[in-house]
Amino acid sequence: MPPRSPNAVTLRDVSRVFGRSYALHRVSTTLAAGSITALLGNNGAGKSTLLNILATVDAPSDGEVRFGKVAFRDFARRGRARIGWVSHQTLVYDELTGRENLTFFGQLYGIPHIQKLAETWLERVGLSAAADRPVGTYSRGMKQRLTIARALLHDPQLVLLDEPATGLDQAGTALVSNLLGELRKEGRIVVIISHNFSLIETLADNVLILRKGQLRASGPLPPGTSLISHYQAHA
Amino acid sequence: MKTALILRQSRTILAKDLRREWRTREILTTTVAFSVLLMAVFTFAFYRSGDATAGVFPGILWISIVFSGTLAIGRSFQHETASGCLRALALIPGSQVSLYIGKLAANLIFMLLFELALIPLLLLAFSVNLGPTWALHLGSVLIGTLGFATLGTLVSAMLVKNDLREVLLPVLLYPLLIPLLIAGVKISAALLAGQGWPQIEGWLKAMIAMDLAYGVLCVLLFRFVLAAVE
């Protein structure tokens, strides 16, 4: 099997300015393949701005972002198919059924045998029984499961998750946890924003803590330290 | 290769919009109801017996198409932003042009469908007989509708995240449509006055040229519009 691309995302002195204030200020880090990076911080710390830049829907005002060897601009033009994104919005159509949503996005990505793949994903996220119901009739948790399936349907290498456990019950959270573990094993780059500290604590290989746009902590959780105390010390 | 990708994606987006409209009937119900209301108002305000009707009918026809079309086109991108789907679409390679073409095709179909209801009603209400030039009448309406949908789809996308979009859509769209409308009204008036192909040829060619110019410009500009609103 050929190596997945990109094998890392490197940020060097990345800043993002809105008006006169910095949403991000000189953030430098490397996100490696086969690792899960948690992005933590209080409201307004710059987490979503950083995730938007990684998704290439926003551009840095200053600094450099490289996806493997590919520069930001080129990746935004040609590499977006390698991004899977779970945003705080569901990014699915309420009027279509779960199956139709997955088929629609799969067809746009040009995935062959999409019906079969959609069926597999519906089963994987526990939505087989509700597959032919309009998404508007789904609970928040069911929509979130579908959102995760939509984001991973096209086999992305860079997986960006903004609060993926929102609305999920215990079984749903366990599902996300298992999926994230599988993604790591498959060598993908996973970035997750979550306030579910127990999920982060068990899964994250690296923890980035942002405060007022600045990176205050970066790296694995220090041994013997709980995530909550690490967070309180830096956020 | 790229053309095949764009066509396939455009077809997928069109099919999704048609399926969605079939389930919600959101655009067609409101537009057809609005068209009937417009027709009733215009009939009470402008109906005169005899030849006097021919003088006002072309204007009424095109104004009705533009007003009802604005209502239809104004809704075309709303459901894409409701749950953030526009962002998901923007991440799919090649989808920017496809999104525009798919939406344009859907808008064109919705407009032609409400025109199917509107035009016969107007003809009946104003007792207008199109006579032997009916095909030229319908051809000019088709070309005018295509131009309207081409420009309207782009302007509607530009305003998708603007709180004042309902107000701004006509303010931005109508000035751009004036040349197309003038040509449309001139053609309808000439045909109702008993003139034929030689008298309308220039205007019809001008409409086709405008459609082509709008089309090229809108395809080129759409990706910038999408980048600004995604």
Side-chain angles (χ1 to χ4, degrees):
Chain A
M1 188 187 278
R4 289 175 169 277
S5 164
N7 55 4
V9 180
T10 314
L11 293 92
R12 202 167 296 146
D13 291 329
V14 169
S15 297
R16 180 69 175 99
V17 185
F18 292 108
R20 285 184 178 184
S21 61
Y22 278 91
L24 286 176
H25 188 61
R26 302 194 69 178
V27 171
S28 298
T29 191
T30 299
L31 312 168
S35 72
I36 297 173
T37 302
L39 204 50
L40 304 179
N42 293 330
N43 295 340
K47 306 182 297 287
S48 293
T49 304
L50 185 53
L51 211 67
N52 285 346
I53 288 173
L54 292 171
T56 71
V57 296
D58 195 4
S61 310
D62 202 6
E64 189 185 38
V65 183
R66 296 193 85 84
F67 298 82
K69 288 177 183 169
V70 183
F72 179 87
R73 212 175 259 252
D74 292 331
F75 195 78
R77 210 174 299 142
R78 295 189 200 98
R80 281 181 162 186
R82 279 172 255 163
I83 299 171
W85 191 18
V86 172
S87 137
H88 58 275
Q89 287 180 294
T90 57
L91 312 190
V92 289
Y93 297 96
D94 277 359
E95 300 80 8
L96 304 187
T97 67
R99 191 191 307 280
E100 285 167 348
N101 265 291
L102 294 188
T103 309
F104 170 70
F105 283 104
Q107 282 172 341
L108 289 180
Y109 276 110
I111 298 170
H113 312 297
I114 181 61
Q115 295 290 354
K116 200 174 163 196
L117 185 66
E119 190 64 55
T120 308
W121 269 106
L122 286 164
E123 205 177 311
R124 210 166 162 190
V125 297
L127 287 175
S128 288
D132 296 310
R133 265 172 48 197
V135 171
T137 66
Y138 284 14
S139 68
R140 182 69 181 91
M142 289 166 84
K143 279 187 187 177
Q144 193 65 11
R145 285 167 186 245
L146 185 69
T147 300
I148 291 166
R150 184 205 50 77
L152 300 176
L153 185 73
H154 59 290
D155 196 24
Q157 168 64 358
L158 176 58
V159 181
L160 309 171
L161 307 154
D162 193 346
E163 295 289 355
T166 301
L168 293 178
D169 53 16
Q170 269 191 324
T173 309
L175 174 90
V176 169
S177 176
N178 289 338
L179 271 176
L180 290 178
E182 283 174 36
L183 295 173
R184 173 169 47 199
K185 239 185 255 172
E186 289 163 2
R188 296 173 210 255
I189 304 166
V190 181
V191 182
I192 176 171
I193 295 176
S194 179
H195 289 100
N196 185 333
F197 277 21
S198 60
L199 181 74
I200 297 293
E201 202 156 23
T202 50
L203 280 170
D205 303 298
N206 287 301
V207 178
L208 306 183
I209 300 177
L210 285 165
R211 187 179 173 202
K212 292 181 180 170
Q214 290 184 315
L215 194 57
R216 303 303 294 260
S218 170
L221 194 62
T225 314
S226 71
L227 181 62
I228 189 81
S229 60
H230 186 60
Y231 179 77
Q232 281 168 345
H234 295 95
Chain B
M1 188 70 182
K2 205 176 173 191
T3 312
L5 172 78
I6 289 171
L7 285 176
R8 184 173 46 75
Q9 288 181 333
S10 305
R11 204 175 53 215
T12 304
I13 289 164
L14 170 65
K16 184 266 294 173
D17 275 9
L18 293 181
R19 178 176 288 145
R20 193 188 164 278
E21 180 59 22
W22 177 254
R23 289 193 185 145
T24 62
R25 292 182 171 75
E26 189 180 276
I27 293 172
L28 280 178
T29 316
T30 49
T31 314
V32 170
F34 183 69
S35 301
V36 173
L37 279 175
L38 263 185
M39 188 272 301
V41 170
F42 284 145
T43 309
F44 286 121
F46 296 110
Y47 183 78
R48 304 281 183 277
S49 58
D51 288 346
T53 302
V56 291
F57 184 79
I60 288 169
L61 170 71
W62 285 94
I63 287 172
S64 303
I65 290 173
V66 167
F67 282 5
S68 306
T70 306
L71 202 65
I73 278 177
R75 302 284 310 156
S76 63
F77 280 91
Q78 287 314 300
H79 69 272
E80 302 293 353
T81 50
S83 48
C85 290
L86 202 57
R87 282 201 150 181
L89 293 174
L91 286 180
I92 299 170
S95 68
Q96 288 95 337
V97 175
S98 315
L99 179 62
Y100 175 74
I101 296 172
K103 286 283 176 193
L104 166 62
N107 284 335
L108 188 62
I109 290 171
F110 297 147
M111 284 190 70
L112 292 175
L113 284 175
F114 82 70
E115 284 170 7
L116 268 180
L118 173 74
I119 294 172
L121 281 175
L122 280 176
L123 292 174
L124 272 176
F126 284 86
S127 312
V128 170
N129 183 1
L130 295 180
T133 55
W134 64 270
L136 288 175
H137 271 289
L138 292 186
S140 67
V141 168
L142 186 68
I143 294 166
T145 305
L146 177 62
F148 181 94
T150 305
L151 262 182
T153 304
L154 181 80
V155 179
S156 173
M158 277 168 62
L159 297 172
V160 72
K161 287 200 173 162
N162 195 307
D163 291 340
L164 296 174
R165 57 185 166 265
E166 281 86 5
V167 180
L168 286 176
L169 181 62
V171 170
L172 289 178
L173 183 59
Y174 293 175
L176 299 170
L177 282 172
I178 285 173
L180 196 72
L181 282 177
I182 291 173
V185 171
K186 290 281 184 190
I187 290 171
S188 300
L191 292 173
L192 284 176
Q195 295 173 342
W197 173 252
Q199 287 75 32
I200 66 154
E201 185 184 356
W203 286 112
L204 206 62
K205 282 181 178 169
M207 278 180 103
I208 293 170
M210 279 183 260
D211 279 11
L212 287 172
Y214 291 160
V216 172
L217 208 64
C218 290
V219 167
L220 291 176
L221 289 177
F222 189 74
R223 96 185 150 91
F224 299 105
V225 169
L226 197 61
V229 300
E230 74 183 17

